[in-house]
Amino acid sequence: MIVTILYYLLVAFVAFLVIRNLLKSREWQEEALYVVFLIPLLLRLLRLK
Amino acid sequence: MTRKFVIIVLGAALAVFAGLDFYRSRHLREPVVAGPGVARVKTLGDYFSKVKGTVNDCNVYILEGAQPGGAVLVLGGTHPEEPATRLVSWILAENGILEQGRLFVVCSANRSASTVTRPSGAYPDSFSIPTTWGGQTFRMGDRWSNPLDQWPDPEVYIHYPTGQNLAYMDGRNLNRTWPGRPGGTLTEKTTHAFMELIRTEKIDFVIDLHEAELQYPVISTIVAHPKGQDLAAMASMVLSGEEFKIGVESSPEALRGLSHREIGDHSDAFTLLFEAPEPFLDATRGRTDAKLLLEGKDDFVVRAGKRGLLFETIDKNGWPIDVRVGRHTSTILTVLDLWTLDHPDRGVILKNVPRYAEVIEKGTGAFLKDPASAESKTIHYE
Amino acid sequence: MSMPETAALVLGAMVAAYILAKILKVSTELSMLAAALVGAAVGGAGFPVRHIVEGAFTYLDICLIFITATLFMNLLKESGGVAFVIRRVLTRFHRRKALLFVMLALLLLIPGALTGAGSVTVLITGSLVATVLGYMNIPRARAAAIIFIIAGLSAAAPPVSLWAMLTAAGVNMPYVGFFLPLLVPCVLLALATIFILSRGAKPADLEAALRELPEAPPKMNWLKVAAPFALFFALILAGRMFPFGFPILGLPLMFAAAAVVTMLLSPVKIPFLDVAGRTVHQLLPLVGTLTCVGILVQIMTLTGARGLIAITVVTLPVTVVILTLFLTLPISEAVLMWGAAPVLGVPLVLLFNTINLNPIVALAGMSVIWPLGDAIPPTAIIGRLTVDTIGMKEPYGKFLKACLVPALLIILAGTLMVFFSKQLAFLTVL
Ligand SMILES: [Zn+2]
């Protein structure tokens, strides 16, 4: 149970880093890739998948 | 800046639409109209409190005969990606009438696994069985419990109590976690709860329904614990002579966590596990959709068969769902008949359930009940 | 149109879309995504939102392993731990070439073995080892080849071997019994590589090398380097020894724990958020690949293109299949990166299963060959990374030529492992 919560925190932290990098990025391919990778992270955080 | 904004908006739209879709299929309600044979409906949590209220607190339909006798548990949906198993349990719960003994029917043995489909598997999110009243829609599920209900996976899954090492994802496989563990994962708690049910209700034997890819060596067969070997062999003989070919295999001692091994080893009951062919699960399958799931026709699987790579035959007619459902209902009825013949005082006599030929002739949908025209207190949701 | 015809059309459209995207200078990851989207449209599935996003989930857990493991390695480097180890090893062994090479090979094997990614080896220990090799009079191109080949072997080495894990998952086979079948060839081939490519090396010029290598912080010591590793292995061991008393942690959390210990023990202050952000940026090509491969595989499955590949592979003559592994595996890797495992590895293992080869040893043999594709265009992802990281100025072809001999050795070893997998089955005890 605690471990599961830690995993959601881990995913939240990674999502935060991805968003931070996404906002800093200056290259469209990189931005697109960040967005693609962000989708599963966010849907897991929202417990949708 | 605008470019970044557009990319983000596109991604967000993708996430929102997919997210809604996932939510809808995960919460799709499947009605069961409890038939005249159902005396009571309990839930799995009634047998083990730690499962109560969880996603795996599935319904247990208890059919009771006027004459006392034995008790049998039928598990549908151990692997919800094997739809015939769930349809058979629906038919039993909605139609079955018991003359002797008690029959416990479960439609969603691993309910969590019925709420998710496999990433990269391209499964449809649901499938519909045509009926005269417009059809009934079911959730398509997976082989493993939903990661939303059990996360993370271990680095290697270690089976309780033998300590055998198994693949990490099989910690979410209901047919690798028998006999379960009261303090374990959700999937282990679920099998433990079923063991409690088996012990409290004095179940004589368990029927665990499955379907398998044709490339899997254990197919079109009854896998039996040594305690049930004679019954399985007799059933195989009778069925192969009268209705369709079905083999019999004995549960290997080296494979742990399976129902046909552990239930027999850890209780007075034993298990017979039925496998029917499901081309949808084959790795060489072509286009993956609900049509393949229900019709079981696939040119690539046929080609694999011609190369001698399969353990069951397949031609252009495929393995339609009605054939697979019919194989299971007939096997159940035959096993119950043979058991009752041998153990008259522990007999279980089941009526009003269609056999193989009748399911194929009328279609599975003919045996599903319309919830709209049923009394509301007979409706239960899976 | 019949289903097989549609599947062939879809596959053709996917290949065309991929090539077109590459011509337009789109990255491999996004080219795969483009191929998937085109394939879905041509296959009559339109724009299947649910399938696209579900596919993106396929390797989520593996991405988390990647990120946490690489964060751990990057923190170790930031703390000065890696520089410390390299300096100590060099000082201790600079007079004994053979022992030094063995130690360097091990230093190259560890990061990739733990993380499953050759790029982590290149980034964490690659540049430092290259410095040492430079002072031993080994030409740049050969040094790059040593780093690249051993990085590839480290990725295939246990405990985390992605090709084996992804393929095994695709055929419902437990990822169990792979430890020795992967470890033995990876270690032996790594040693062979470094000894072959470093022929003619002089003993290192200790003073000069130490001057160029980054300084280790004065307060760094063996205990501080070893503690996070000790914790990581203790957690794995605890999970195996007390499986029913110890909570299920999973690899990402174990790596995260090791990362936290590295942070706490570091003698220098580490800008954690920056390192973490850089880690994600550095891993974007890898997690991006995994995410896009997941989408691609889902669409290929949906449209029947995956089945077409699978049925074609399993109905080919077996000898032909095994004898061409040296071509098909690296090329599939060059095009699909890890996508090669679910797309090509799965039908191959199914085929080997039906002819009674040992699937574990055969898959391990394939796993050591696969990473060679990382030097071949269009992706050449690890090859380019290696050349950039160690600052090689010579043309890329020279690096490829230097890779040739060890590559042939690896191909030979891998193919023999497939052929004699049954005889080698005794390796699968761990
Ligand atoms: Zn099954």
Side-chain angles (χ1 to χ4, degrees):
Chain A
M1 195 57 212
I2 299 162
V3 175
T4 305
I5 294 169
L6 287 174
Y7 269 81
Y8 281 99
L9 290 175
L10 180 65
V11 171
F13 179 59
V14 174
F16 160 74
L17 293 171
V18 170
I19 293 172
R20 213 172 78 128
N21 287 0
L22 168 65
L23 295 178
K24 274 194 281 188
S25 173
R26 291 266 162 274
E27 211 261 314
W28 76 268
Q29 298 209 20
E30 201 176 273
E31 290 163 9
L33 216 48
Y34 274 128
V35 168
V36 170
F37 180 51
L38 193 56
I39 292 173
L41 295 175
L42 291 182
L43 290 184
R44 175 58 54 89
L45 274 180
L46 296 171
R47 289 188 46 80
L48 285 170
K49 175 82 183 175
Chain B
M1 211 56 230
T2 34
R3 178 201 62 209
K4 190 178 287 187
F5 183 71
V6 170
I7 292 176
I8 292 174
V9 168
L10 283 176
L14 206 58
V16 167
F17 283 111
L20 286 175
D21 209 350
F22 294 139
Y23 185 88
R24 268 196 302 267
S25 35
R26 185 165 171 232
H27 293 93
L28 179 74
R29 305 233 290 167
E30 306 165 316
V32 172
V33 180
V38 175
R40 267 163 303 135
V41 180
K42 285 192 169 187
T43 72
L44 188 59
D46 295 338
Y47 298 95
F48 177 51
S49 60
K50 280 189 182 167
V51 169
K52 195 89 206 159
T54 68
V55 60
N56 271 7
D57 190 10
C58 62
N59 294 328
V60 181
Y61 302 89
I62 306 173
L63 286 69
E64 236 169 29
Q67 193 189 341
V72 171
L73 167 64
V74 177
L75 297 178
T78 292
H79 294 147
E81 64 173 358
E82 299 158 11
T85 70
R86 300 190 75 214
L87 293 170
V88 168
S89 55
W90 246 266
I91 292 180
L92 295 179
E94 296 194 337
N95 299 274
I97 293 172
L98 235 54
E99 289 184 354
Q100 186 192 0
R102 290 169 304 151
L103 187 71
F104 295 73
V105 179
V106 169
C107 300
S108 313
N110 188 354
R111 210 186 150 275
S112 168
S114 78
T115 63
V116 67
T117 48
R118 185 182 311 179
S120 84
Y123 292 2
D125 56 357
S126 62
F127 59 93
S128 292
I129 300 293
T131 65
T132 50
W133 42 271
Q136 182 164 355
T137 303
F138 297 85
R139 291 189 299 270
M140 178 64 190
D142 198 359
R143 184 180 173 85
W144 297 287
S145 308
N146 194 331
L148 289 179
D149 303 316
Q150 186 176 322
W151 194 41
D153 286 337
E155 162 248 348
V156 52
Y157 160 55
I158 299 177
H159 171 251
Y160 178 84
T162 61
Q164 187 172 71
N165 287 6
L166 296 164
Y168 63 92
M169 64 278 193
D170 275 339
R172 288 182 282 122
N173 180 343
L174 194 79
N175 203 24
R176 293 295 180 281
T177 49
W178 295 96
R181 190 157 65 104
T185 61
L186 175 71
T187 316
E188 287 178 312
K189 282 183 193 138
T190 307
T191 42
H192 176 77
F194 279 120
M195 290 305 295
E196 290 294 299
L197 184 161
I198 290 164
R199 287 185 276 258
T200 11
E201 301 288 2
K202 309 225 163 7
I203 300 289
D204 291 292
F205 63 94
V206 179
I207 292 173
D208 189 10
L209 300 173
H210 285 262
E211 297 191 86
E213 58 268 43
L214 281 62
Q215 207 162 27
Y216 187 59
V218 184
I219 192 163
S220 300
T221 192
I222 306 172
V223 189
H225 190 271
K227 289 193 271 181
Q229 197 66 39
D230 293 345
L231 179 58
M234 274 302 290
S236 152
M237 248 168 58
V238 171
L239 287 165
S240 299
E242 291 173 4
E243 288 176 279
F244 47 82
K245 263 173 62 186
I246 188 165
V248 56
E249 260 159 80
S250 132
S251 163
E253 197 134 353
L255 280 183
R256 306 310 310 200
L258 290 118
S259 61
H260 51 69
R261 167 51 49 194
E262 308 294 349
I263 292 175
D265 284 7
H266 291 92
S267 74
D268 296 332
F270 60 87
T271 297
L272 305 180
L273 184 150
F274 304 170
E275 290 280 11
E278 184 187 353
F280 179 88
L281 295 179
D282 270 88
T284 54
R285 70 174 180 269
R287 173 176 281 275
T288 304
D289 53 15
K291 194 165 173 285
L292 172 59
L293 183 68
L294 297 179
E295 295 180 1
K297 293 179 194 167
D298 189 287
D299 292 333
F300 292 158
V301 179
V302 170
R303 268 167 70 183
K306 285 193 185 130
R307 259 303 294 262
L309 298 173
L310 304 182
F311 294 89
E312 174 58 277
T313 56
I314 181 169
D315 55 24
K316 63 176 176 17
N317 297 320
W319 284 96
I321 190 78
D322 296 334
V323 173
R324 286 136 61 190
V325 167
R327 285 179 69 98
H328 277 338
T329 56
S330 265
T331 311
I332 292 172
L333 290 167
T334 306
V335 163
L336 291 179
D337 284 351
L338 291 167
W339 166 265
T340 306
L341 252 141
D342 243 18
H343 308 78
D345 53 323
R346 296 291 299 167
V348 175
I349 302 177
L350 173 64
K351 298 281 165 174
N352 205 37
V353 168
R355 293 194 79 94
Y356 182 66
E358 195 183 350
V359 178
I360 294 174
E361 187 205 323
K362 295 181 181 160
T364 303
F367 305 96
L368 295 174
K369 298 283 176 280
D370 182 6
S373 57
E375 257 187 89
S376 67
K377 68 175 199 311
T378 62
I379 299 178
H380 302 266
Y381 289 95
E382 284 298 312
Chain C
M1 223 186 309
S2 73
M3 189 279 285
E5 284 164 8
T6 319
L9 184 72
V10 168
L11 193 58
M14 283 179 151
V15 172
Y18 179 88
I19 293 173
L20 184 68
K22 286 304 297 183
I23 291 173
L24 294 174
K25 299 255 181 297
V26 176
S27 67
T28 306
E29 303 86 297
L30 292 180
S31 299
M32 286 194 278
L33 184 60
L37 298 183
V38 168
V42 171
F47 187 78
V49 174
R50 176 176 154 264
H51 287 296
I52 292 166
V53 175
E54 186 170 88
F57 268 88
T58 309
Y59 304 117
L60 179 62
D61 284 321
I62 289 175
C63 288
L64 291 181
I65 294 178
F66 252 3
I67 291 173
T68 49
T70 311
L71 178 62
F72 164 41
M73 286 290 147
N74 280 342
L75 290 172
L76 194 67
K77 191 171 182 183
E78 286 288 322
S79 75
V82 178
F84 171 82
V85 172
I86 300 251
R87 295 179 77 92
R88 282 303 170 91
V89 165
L90 183 63
T91 316
R92 178 99 172 66
F93 297 109
H94 71 280
R95 263 185 259 278
R96 297 152 78 185
K97 267 197 317 190
L99 262 178
L100 181 58
F101 285 144
V102 173
M103 296 306 289
L104 292 180
L106 287 181
L107 285 175
L108 287 173
L109 281 173
I110 290 169
L114 286 181
T115 60
S119 57
V120 178
T121 282
V122 174
L123 293 166
I124 298 295
T125 49
S127 53
L128 302 183
V129 169
T131 309
V132 175
L133 292 175
Y135 280 100
M136 299 179 78
N137 213 22
I138 294 168
R140 270 290 187 225
R142 272 208 266 148
I146 291 175
I147 311 284
F148 167 77
I149 296 274
I150 301 185
L153 291 168
S154 78
V160 181
S161 176
L162 275 180
W163 295 277
M165 286 166 100
L166 299 183
T167 308
V171 286
N172 288 344
M173 181 167 88
Y175 178 63
V176 172
F178 283 90
F179 197 81
L180 286 181
L182 287 169
L183 187 73
V184 172
C186 286
V187 169
L188 292 181
L189 289 166
L191 292 176
T193 302
I194 199 164
F195 279 105
I196 290 171
L197 289 180
S198 64
R199 61 191 184 275
K202 290 187 316 195
D205 178 347
L206 184 63
E207 310 284 283
L210 287 182
R211 232 176 296 128
E212 191 183 321
L213 284 172
E215 284 295 331
K219 283 201 202 116
M220 192 35 111
N221 58 41
W222 281 111
L223 190 74
K224 287 182 175 175
V225 178
F229 286 95
L231 173 69
F232 176 77
F233 286 111
L235 290 177
I236 286 199
L237 222 66
R240 298 216 176 193
M241 282 166 56
F242 318 105
F244 313 124
F246 201 73
I248 289 171
L249 297 179
L251 283 173
L253 202 60
M254 295 183 195
F255 281 121
V260 168
V261 169
T262 310
M263 270 296 286
L264 293 178
L265 293 181
S266 170
V268 292
K269 210 170 148 4
I270 299 175
F272 178 71
L273 221 52
D274 284 351
V275 176
R278 233 186 307 133
T279 303
V280 170
H281 185 246
Q282 173 192 330
L283 286 178
L284 183 63
L286 305 180
V287 295
T289 300
L290 284 175
T291 311
C292 292
V293 163
I295 298 172
L296 181 72
V297 173
Q298 175 119 0
I299 300 298
M300 288 176 80
T301 311
L302 179 71
T303 53
R306 180 182 175 176
L308 179 62
I309 294 179
I311 192 68
T312 311
V313 169
V314 297
T315 48
L316 284 173
V318 178
T319 337
V320 175
V321 170
I322 296 181
L323 288 178
T324 52
L325 284 179
F326 78 97
L327 276 180
T328 48
L329 295 180
I331 291 175
S332 64
E333 173 71 20
V335 175
L336 295 170
M337 299 194 257
W338 284 293
V343 173
L344 191 63
V346 167
L348 284 172
V349 169
L350 287 174
L351 174 67
F352 296 158
N353 249 333
T354 55
I355 55 164
N356 270 326
L357 291 179
N358 181 297
I360 298 175
V361 179
L363 179 50
M366 285 155 57
S367 298
V368 298
I369 300 179
W370 253 313
L372 293 175
D374 287 327
I376 311 173
T379 49
I381 182 167
I382 314 277
R384 278 185 287 135
L385 183 72
T386 308
V387 170
D388 292 346
T389 307
I390 74 166
M392 185 186 100
K393 303 280 184 294
E394 294 90 332
Y396 193 74
K398 215 166 163 199
F399 156 73
L400 281 183
K401 222 174 113 192
C403 291
L404 197 62
V405 175
L408 289 177
L409 205 63
I410 289 171
I411 284 167
L412 185 70
T415 309
L416 287 176
M417 280 176 74
V418 176
F419 251 115
F420 296 106
S421 57
K422 235 176 147 172
Q423 288 80 352
L424 293 169
F426 64 89
L427 286 171
T428 59
V429 288
L430 258 178

